[in-house]
Amino acid sequence: MESAVKEIAGILTGFFQSKTVAAALELRIFDAMDPPARAEVVCRRAGVPLASGKRLLIALEAMKLISRENDEYRLSDAAKRCLVSTSPQWMGWMARHCDVFLYPLWGQCAEAIRQDEDRRTAVFGDNRSWFDILYQNPRDVADFQEFLGVLAQPFVDGMIESFDFSPYRRFIDIGSGCGSLPMSVARSHPKLEVAVCELPQAAAFTREKLDARGFKDHIAVFEGNVLEGDLPRGFDLVHLGWMLHDYAIESQRTILENILAAMPSGATFVASETPLNDDESGPLFTSLLSINMLVSTDGGVESTTEEYLGRFRDAGFVNTRAQTIPGPRKLLIGEKA
Ligand SMILES: C[S@@+](CC[C@H](N)C(=O)[O-])C[C@H]1O[C@@H](n2cnc3c(N)ncnc32)[C@H](O)[C@@H]1O
């Protein structure tokens, strides 16, 4: 195939790969390869017909997620880490979230761009906010929060390694999800008082996670909506992770003003985001995430570092700056005078 045609055909059929892996996850095909086994055995363990199951195995091998030795299929290292349902890094949560929510919304991508508007009403017949639709049933909350927890871990490790928590006494993580950052902070800085604030619909999930890891008496959980300003007060270090991008620029301003109002004088605010490059040349994932925000959220959009920091200054933050840390995110920092 001519290389330009091959390149474009590869992009256009990119969903073949994502759908193949999502199907294999739903059918627990990867679980059925532990221990390694011949196609007949893998398909029998997964409860799928050999003929169609074999097509799946051939495709997964071509994608290098599995390999064969003596006719027995075995998992690659990446598959062992992320595709087996007993692994702490299992990505099946993400596959289901994509199938149930994102894939139908992306099906109307051109219309979203034509109208500069999300497609929630068209796809789900529901004009409530993104999080109201997403958080209707506990299984969908778990899918969303669990996969975000897996994606967040390299960022959490980078922030613990590089951010200086020592000047602070009281830390709150707003929109904490599965609580991986506050748990790591509580573990590494035992003298710091640690709390989280979550939307009421997600707070039960956060509490369960903290309880299960033994943090029930160490991390307070407040229910609140940062857009409405019902936030706990008096925390001298406030973090907001991967949430500004979920909201329209006007709402981001309201969120920043509400946070500033809840902070004592001299306190520090940190947002962790994956900003666009300064010249808007990517990165690829952030640029596609911005389209994802368009089709799904309430006007959410990705921004450059300077755009975020400009909004911090407009809201009244001083000494605004960015800090690069190991891992996928950047810290955007502001202080209250
Ligand atoms: C994209 S997730 C990010 C989760 C986690 N903070 C991270 O950094 O990976 C956004 C989180 O913010 C919470 N959230 C969204 N809107 C909120 C609001 N208005 N007030 C409080 N929390 C909110 C959601 O429930 C969700 O847990």
Short mmCIF file of all heavy atoms in Angstrom, two decimals, residues 310-332:
data_model
loop_
_atom_site.label_atom_id
_atom_site.label_comp_id
_atom_site.label_asym_id
_atom_site.label_seq_id
_atom_site.Cartn_x
_atom_site.Cartn_y
_atom_site.Cartn_z
N GLY A 310 -3.08 32.41 33.65
CA GLY A 310 -3.80 33.69 33.44
C GLY A 310 -5.14 33.66 34.19
O GLY A 310 -5.53 34.64 34.83
N ARG A 311 -5.82 32.49 34.12
CA ARG A 311 -7.11 32.38 34.85
C ARG A 311 -6.88 32.43 36.36
O ARG A 311 -7.69 32.99 37.10
CB ARG A 311 -7.79 31.06 34.48
CG ARG A 311 -8.60 31.17 33.21
CD ARG A 311 -9.03 29.81 32.67
NE ARG A 311 -8.77 29.80 31.25
CZ ARG A 311 -8.47 28.72 30.52
NH1 ARG A 311 -8.42 27.54 31.08
NH2 ARG A 311 -8.24 28.83 29.23
N PHE A 312 -5.76 31.87 36.82
CA PHE A 312 -5.44 31.95 38.26
C PHE A 312 -5.32 33.43 38.66
O PHE A 312 -5.87 33.86 39.66
CB PHE A 312 -4.10 31.27 38.56
CG PHE A 312 -4.13 29.76 38.63
CD1 PHE A 312 -5.06 29.01 37.92
CD2 PHE A 312 -3.21 29.07 39.40
CE1 PHE A 312 -5.07 27.62 37.99
CE2 PHE A 312 -3.21 27.69 39.49
CZ PHE A 312 -4.13 26.97 38.77
N ARG A 313 -4.58 34.20 37.83
CA ARG A 313 -4.36 35.62 38.17
C ARG A 313 -5.69 36.38 38.12
O ARG A 313 -5.98 37.17 39.01
CB ARG A 313 -3.34 36.24 37.21
CG ARG A 313 -1.91 35.76 37.48
CD ARG A 313 -0.89 36.55 36.69
NE ARG A 313 -0.89 36.22 35.27
CZ ARG A 313 -0.19 35.20 34.73
NH1 ARG A 313 0.58 34.45 35.48
NH2 ARG A 313 -0.26 34.96 33.43
N ASP A 314 -6.52 36.09 37.10
CA ASP A 314 -7.83 36.76 37.01
C ASP A 314 -8.66 36.49 38.25
O ASP A 314 -9.44 37.34 38.69
CB ASP A 314 -8.62 36.26 35.79
CG ASP A 314 -7.99 36.71 34.48
OD1 ASP A 314 -7.11 37.59 34.52
OD2 ASP A 314 -8.39 36.16 33.43
N ALA A 315 -8.52 35.28 38.81
CA ALA A 315 -9.33 34.93 39.99
C ALA A 315 -8.77 35.58 41.26
O ALA A 315 -9.44 35.58 42.29
CB ALA A 315 -9.37 33.41 40.16
N GLY A 316 -7.53 36.09 41.20
CA GLY A 316 -6.97 36.78 42.37
C GLY A 316 -5.78 36.08 43.01
O GLY A 316 -5.30 36.51 44.06
N PHE A 317 -5.31 34.97 42.42
CA PHE A 317 -4.13 34.29 42.97
C PHE A 317 -2.88 35.11 42.67
O PHE A 317 -2.81 35.80 41.64
CB PHE A 317 -3.97 32.89 42.36
CG PHE A 317 -4.96 31.89 42.89
CD1 PHE A 317 -6.11 31.58 42.19
CD2 PHE A 317 -4.75 31.26 44.11
CE1 PHE A 317 -7.04 30.67 42.69
CE2 PHE A 317 -5.66 30.35 44.62
CZ PHE A 317 -6.82 30.05 43.90
N VAL A 318 -1.89 35.03 43.55
CA VAL A 318 -0.61 35.71 43.34
C VAL A 318 0.50 34.67 43.26
O VAL A 318 0.29 33.50 43.56
CB VAL A 318 -0.30 36.71 44.49
CG1 VAL A 318 -1.36 37.82 44.52
CG2 VAL A 318 -0.22 36.01 45.85
N ASN A 319 1.68 35.16 42.87
CA ASN A 319 2.86 34.28 42.77
C ASN A 319 2.54 33.02 41.97
O ASN A 319 2.87 31.90 42.38
CB ASN A 319 3.36 33.94 44.19
CG ASN A 319 4.80 33.44 44.16
OD1 ASN A 319 5.48 33.54 43.13
ND2 ASN A 319 5.26 32.90 45.26
N THR A 320 1.88 33.18 40.83
CA THR A 320 1.46 32.03 40.02
C THR A 320 2.65 31.48 39.25
O THR A 320 3.50 32.23 38.77
CB THR A 320 0.36 32.45 39.03
OG1 THR A 320 0.83 33.53 38.24
CG2 THR A 320 -0.91 32.87 39.74
N ARG A 321 2.72 30.19 39.15
CA ARG A 321 3.85 29.55 38.48
C ARG A 321 3.50 28.10 38.12
O ARG A 321 2.54 27.55 38.66
CB ARG A 321 5.08 29.56 39.38
CG ARG A 321 4.85 28.87 40.72
CD ARG A 321 5.88 29.30 41.77
NE ARG A 321 5.72 28.55 43.02
CZ ARG A 321 4.90 28.90 44.00
NH1 ARG A 321 4.13 29.96 43.89
NH2 ARG A 321 4.85 28.18 45.10
N ALA A 322 4.34 27.51 37.25
CA ALA A 322 4.17 26.09 36.91
C ALA A 322 5.36 25.32 37.45
O ALA A 322 6.47 25.85 37.50
CB ALA A 322 4.09 25.93 35.40
N GLN A 323 5.13 24.10 37.90
CA GLN A 323 6.24 23.23 38.33
C GLN A 323 6.17 21.94 37.52
O GLN A 323 5.13 21.28 37.48
CB GLN A 323 6.14 22.93 39.83
CG GLN A 323 7.30 22.07 40.33
CD GLN A 323 7.20 21.70 41.81
OE1 GLN A 323 6.50 22.36 42.59
NE2 GLN A 323 7.89 20.65 42.20
N THR A 324 7.30 21.61 36.88
CA THR A 324 7.37 20.34 36.15
C THR A 324 7.77 19.26 37.14
O THR A 324 8.69 19.43 37.93
CB THR A 324 8.43 20.44 35.03
OG1 THR A 324 8.05 21.54 34.20
CG2 THR A 324 8.48 19.18 34.20
N ILE A 325 7.04 18.16 37.12
CA ILE A 325 7.34 17.03 38.01
C ILE A 325 7.45 15.77 37.17
O ILE A 325 6.95 15.73 36.04
CB ILE A 325 6.25 16.85 39.10
CG1 ILE A 325 4.86 16.64 38.45
CG2 ILE A 325 6.21 18.03 40.07
CD1 ILE A 325 3.80 16.19 39.43
N PRO A 326 8.09 14.71 37.69
CA PRO A 326 8.13 13.46 36.92
C PRO A 326 6.71 12.94 36.70
O PRO A 326 5.83 13.17 37.54
CB PRO A 326 8.90 12.49 37.85
CG PRO A 326 9.58 13.34 38.87
CD PRO A 326 8.78 14.59 39.00
N GLY A 327 6.49 12.26 35.57
CA GLY A 327 5.16 11.72 35.31
C GLY A 327 4.39 12.55 34.32
O GLY A 327 4.92 13.48 33.72
N PRO A 328 3.11 12.24 34.16
CA PRO A 328 2.36 12.80 33.04
C PRO A 328 1.82 14.21 33.24
O PRO A 328 1.35 14.83 32.29
CB PRO A 328 1.18 11.83 32.91
CG PRO A 328 1.00 11.24 34.28
CD PRO A 328 2.36 11.23 34.91
N ARG A 329 1.82 14.74 34.45
CA ARG A 329 1.15 16.04 34.67
C ARG A 329 2.12 17.14 35.07
O ARG A 329 3.25 16.88 35.48
CB ARG A 329 0.11 15.91 35.80
CG ARG A 329 -0.99 14.94 35.50
CD ARG A 329 -2.12 15.09 36.48
NE ARG A 329 -2.95 13.88 36.51
CZ ARG A 329 -3.92 13.66 37.37
NH1 ARG A 329 -4.21 14.56 38.29
NH2 ARG A 329 -4.62 12.54 37.31
N LYS A 330 1.61 18.37 34.99
CA LYS A 330 2.34 19.56 35.41
C LYS A 330 1.56 20.17 36.57
O LYS A 330 0.33 20.10 36.60
CB LYS A 330 2.33 20.55 34.24
CG LYS A 330 3.51 21.45 34.14
CD LYS A 330 3.36 22.26 32.86
CE LYS A 330 4.67 22.80 32.37
NZ LYS A 330 4.54 23.59 31.17
N LEU A 331 2.28 20.78 37.52
CA LEU A 331 1.61 21.47 38.61
C LEU A 331 1.48 22.95 38.27
O LEU A 331 2.45 23.58 37.84
CB LEU A 331 2.40 21.31 39.92
CG LEU A 331 2.66 19.88 40.38
CD1 LEU A 331 3.39 19.88 41.73
CD2 LEU A 331 1.36 19.07 40.48
N LEU A 332 0.27 23.49 38.46
CA LEU A 332 0.01 24.91 38.23
C LEU A 332 -0.31 25.48 39.61
O LEU A 332 -1.23 24.99 40.29
CB LEU A 332 -1.17 25.06 37.28
CG LEU A 332 -1.00 24.24 35.99
CD1 LEU A 332 -2.32 23.98 35.31
CD2 LEU A 332 -0.02 24.94 35.05
#
